[in-house]
Amino acid sequence: MSLTDREPGAASAPADPPAGGRRTGPTVADVVRAVTDRDLPVRIVGYDGSAIGPADAGITLAIHTERGLSYLLTAPGDLGMARAYVSGDLGLDGVHPGDPYEALRVLKDDLRLRAPSVAEGLALVRGLGWERLLPPPAPPQEAQPRWRRVLGGLRHSRSRDSSAISHHYDVSNAFYEKVLGESMTYTCAVFHSPTDTLEQAQAAKYDLVANKLALRPGMRLLDVGCGWGGMVRHAAREYGVRALGVTLSRAQARWAQAAIEREGLTGLAEVRHLDYRDAPREQFDAISSIGLTEHIGVRNYPTYFRALRDRLRPGGRLLNHCITRADNRAPHRSGAFIDRYVFPDGELAGPGRLISEVHDAGFEVHHEENLRRHYALTLAGWGRNLVANWDFCVGEVGPGTARVWGLYMAGSRLGFERNEIQLHQVVATRNGPEGTNDYPLRPDWTP
């Protein structure tokens, strides 16, 4: 009988036999049985022909190679699974690689791992061969571990921040066009209804930001971490604002500036390849920061918000839009998969820490809003785009990078849905003498 036939804590049952003959050592199914507890929610099939788990499971994990097994054994948890999946050594049958959300949901809810006893572990390793414990080279999509990145500069130094941004954003503008859609906006959208399209929701997000900042014709807006210039172009086109965006990604800056010229916004809008710390010290009427705070490091919050304050005129408004932890007790640093494959050196704080730092930098906070459910809907839309354009995306960036994106977006969607991470917008003012500012007695925007 298989694992699904035994009760938790019962004696181990033999796995399904490998196809085509006798086994000479532990099979992949034996390894799975040793490290899992309770019934498996999925079918797992090994390169040796062994299988374990319900035959009628809707999802099958296929470990195609010995290298894939070594990835799983030498880096338990999300990093080992990511390595095997990104390299193609681990397959997911029953879900599309562009959106493995359902597989992640099932594994998170129903897979229970356990640590094998010392005797079990030694027996497995002797049977498999000690070489199985030698980590294979990581896939090329993986960034170096944190301790090795110091060769590129201290964490959140200018050079290291530039390298981290390039790792994620300088992938392929054509790839991003297919995944993000026409808006080329890589931040949380705002949905008035779950049936809204991504384009409608992204336009609604930009309108919400513009209205929270009380943008009017002739005002000067600074958008830090501007991406492909979505907010800059929207503010110039829809509100007559003179907008400057800065980004550390050269690819983003080139694309954004070309879009500005194509849309006839030259003279009103501009995007520069520039560190936010080098943005002009002019007195802007408003500043938007949409999705940058995640990249700067929690220790740098005081310096960051003071830098924004110094660029804002007295009485002007700041809107900070960023991902946060669900509370202030969670660790700041991201998990291994996100750190190695998605956002190297990315850090998140709880909303309380974020608001405190804005206050302590000399701002007065007037309004805060949590949009976490909107980000789950946004990620679901990006996942659908990746699935619809899978062949093009694979041709553009390769199957490994495309798999990274499918895995990252599906996992993030699950995190937002379950309140493991959140998305907060904070509106604050730089007050003038004696506490003066232009903020009204009641909010002057439509939620």
Side-chain angles (χ1 to χ4, degrees), residues 14-31:
D16 295 353
R22 299 174 57 189
R23 58 173 171 247
T24 58
T27 65
V28 170
D30 292 329
V31 175

Side-chain angles (χ1 to χ4, degrees), residues 168-190:
H168 187 71
Y169 294 102
D170 293 347
V171 175
S172 160
N173 284 334
F175 170 81
Y176 280 111
E177 286 173 353
K178 294 298 185 182
V179 175
L180 303 181
E182 293 180 7
S183 70
M184 275 294 270
T185 300
Y186 186 33
T187 48
C188 175
V190 172

Side-chain angles (χ1 to χ4, degrees), residues 182-206:
E182 293 180 7
S183 70
M184 275 294 270
T185 300
Y186 186 33
T187 48
C188 175
V190 172
F191 292 78
H192 293 291
S193 165
T195 61
D196 289 351
T197 67
L198 263 180
E199 298 310 311
Q200 290 171 329
Q202 292 295 6
K205 185 266 299 297
Y206 286 136

Side-chain angles (χ1 to χ4, degrees), residues 32 35-36 40-44 59-64 67-92 100 103-108 111-113 136 139 142 336-337 341 400 403-404 407:
V32 173
V35 299
T36 56
L40 283 175
V42 296
R43 181 78 164 169
I44 299 178
I59 298 170
T60 297
L61 274 66
I63 303 172
H64 296 305
R67 183 177 67 175
L69 181 60
S70 290
Y71 277 138
L72 297 174
L73 292 175
T74 57
D78 64 348
L79 183 59
M81 184 168 287
R83 286 172 172 168
Y85 181 68
V86 170
S87 66
D89 296 304
L90 172 67
L92 288 174
L104 296 185
R105 185 194 64 76
V106 169
L107 291 172
K108 186 177 182 66
L111 181 65
R112 298 291 180 266
L113 300 178
E142 183 172 320
F337 168 66
Y341 284 90
R403 289 191 198 102
V404 167
L407 192 61

Side-chain angles (χ1 to χ4, degrees), residues 94-111:
V95 296
H96 194 285
D99 188 15
Y101 169 83
E102 186 60 24
L104 296 185
R105 185 194 64 76
V106 169
L107 291 172
K108 186 177 182 66
D109 286 348
D110 300 322
L111 181 65

Side-chain angles (χ1 to χ4, degrees), residues 389-399:
N389 297 285
W390 180 254
D391 291 342
F392 175 90
C393 290
V394 168
E396 186 69 20
V397 300

